[in-house]
């Protein structure tokens, strides 16, 4: 007779508990089994709060189902959910990730008053004139003169960077960091990049050659994947 796979497996670690949820069991079965198992594992009142990580595998839960699990797990006030991890993502999120994985190539001159904005990384073959703006959620590469404003990591990516063949910007922005024209040499610089230096807590200009040392991961999509 084939052994029935448990709906929930609990593993104790030095950091707390890990709950592995069976992918094939019904959600109702999971809730019933969860109540029984947690009742048997409830810490005593004098014990510290136990951190719980839930592994969902290839199961997708709605927000309402996640809320139900959270209520049951934290009901006794001695368990606290640290994370719910699933190998499945909603279609909307998948499409967003696909958009951000693409390198958008644009061949134009961004003139004064124009704004060029894109998701993911931007490769501009052309100049950004004074008064022009380029914005991207990822990195910005400019095969030309950067004389206007460039804003990389507009959604908060502090690992983003801005590279240009000739850099004399009116302003550089990376995430929420801003660096203005007086920070640069009067005559501009060639084949340089702007990145956030965490030690100095500001945007600095450095040689493009240093990117391999400063940024192990260059693609904005790879950074998002690595950050979970």
């Amino acid at each position: 007779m084939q052994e029935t796979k448990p709906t929930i497996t609990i593993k104790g670690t030095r950091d707390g508990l890990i709950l592995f949820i069976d992918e094939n069991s019904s959600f109702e079965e999971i809730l019933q089994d969860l109540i029984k198992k947690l009742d048997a594992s409830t810490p005593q009142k004098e014990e510290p709060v136990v951190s719980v990580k839930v592994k969902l595998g290839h199961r997708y839960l709605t927000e309402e189902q996640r809320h139900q699990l959270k209520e049951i797990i934290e009901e006794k006030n001695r368990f606290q959910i640290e994370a719910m991890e699933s190998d499945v993502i909603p279609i909307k999120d998948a499409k967003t990730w696909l958009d951000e994985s693409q390198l958008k190539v644009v061949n134009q001159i961004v003139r004064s008053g124009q704004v060029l904005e894109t998701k993911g990384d931007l490769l501009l073959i052309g100049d950004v004139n004074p008064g022009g703006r380029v914005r991207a959620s990822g990195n910005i590469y400019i095969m030309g003169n950067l004389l206007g404003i460039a804003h990389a990591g507009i959604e908060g990516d502090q690992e983003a960077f801005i590279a240009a063949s000739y850099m004399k910007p009116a302003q550089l922005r990376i995430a929420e960091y801003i660096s203005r024209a007086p920070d640069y040499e009067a005559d501009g610089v060639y084949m340089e990049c702007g990145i956030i230096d965490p030690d100095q807590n500001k945007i600095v200009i450095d040689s493009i050659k240093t990117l391999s040392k400063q940024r192990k991961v260059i693609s904005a999509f790879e950074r998002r994947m690595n950050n979970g």
Side-chain angles (χ1 to χ4, degrees):
M1 186 175 179
Q2 188 174 4
E3 185 178 349
T4 304
K5 186 177 180 180
T7 59
I8 294 173
T9 302
I10 299 179
K11 179 182 178 182
T13 71
R14 64 180 182 180
D15 297 321
L17 297 178
I18 300 178
L19 271 60
F20 296 90
I21 307 294
D22 179 47
E23 301 168 356
N24 301 312
S25 301
S26 71
F27 187 65
E28 289 70 24
E29 290 177 314
I30 290 170
L31 293 183
Q32 292 174 9
D33 196 25
L34 181 61
I35 292 171
K36 292 177 183 178
K37 281 187 166 56
L38 290 182
D39 281 344
S41 304
T42 302
Q44 301 299 317
K45 289 185 177 181
E46 62 274 9
E47 294 181 20
V49 173
V50 176
S51 176
V52 178
K53 185 177 292 186
V54 181
K55 300 277 191 178
L56 299 170
H58 290 90
R59 174 186 290 273
Y60 174 74
L61 294 184
T62 65
E63 286 301 317
E64 182 180 351
Q65 289 173 328
R66 284 174 176 264
H67 182 69
Q68 285 180 271
L69 277 184
K70 180 178 173 65
E71 277 194 328
I72 292 173
I73 292 172
E74 297 185 347
E75 182 182 16
K76 304 297 183 182
N77 297 321
R78 308 309 300 166
F79 293 115
Q80 184 172 355
I81 290 184
E82 176 188 336
M84 285 192 192
E85 300 175 355
S86 173
D87 296 328
V88 179
I89 62 172
I91 293 177
K92 182 179 71 173
D93 291 346
K95 288 181 177 178
T96 299
W97 283 27
L98 179 61
D99 288 341
E100 295 187 354
S101 72
Q102 296 177 351
L103 172 65
K104 184 171 183 180
V105 181
V106 179
N107 182 11
Q108 74 172 77
I109 295 175
V110 181
R111 305 184 188 281
S112 178
Q114 293 182 324
V115 179
L116 174 62
E117 182 172 332
T118 185
K119 283 275 192 180
D121 297 331
L122 169 65
L123 170 59
L124 174 65
I125 302 174
D127 298 336
V128 181
N129 286 348
R133 294 171 179 260
V134 288
R135 291 162 50 86
S137 62
N139 310 311
I140 295 175
Y141 311 85
I142 299 173
M143 299 295 290
N145 300 324
L146 173 53
L147 306 174
I149 297 173
H151 188 176
I154 58 177
E155 295 178 356
D157 184 1
Q158 295 186 7
E159 292 294 305
F161 58 85
I162 300 164
S165 298
Y166 177 76
M167 187 175 286
K168 191 180 179 183
Q171 185 185 87
L172 286 188
R173 295 186 178 190
I174 300 176
E176 71 276 11
Y177 288 75
I178 300 175
S179 189
R180 301 183 185 279
D183 294 330
Y184 314 114
E185 299 175 15
D187 295 332
V189 286
Y190 292 90
M191 299 304 292
E192 301 287 283
C193 64
I195 59 176
I196 294 175
D197 185 328
D199 295 328
Q200 300 184 54
N201 196 36
K202 68 175 187 176
I203 297 174
V204 297
I205 300 298
D206 210 336
S207 168
I208 286 179
K209 294 185 293 184
T210 66
L211 273 179
S212 60
K213 298 178 181 178
Q214 298 287 345
R215 298 289 185 266
K216 299 301 181 184
V217 175
I218 291 181
S219 161
F221 176 69
E222 287 182 279
R223 288 199 295 272
R224 176 161 183 161
M225 291 289 289
N226 290 344
N227 292 332

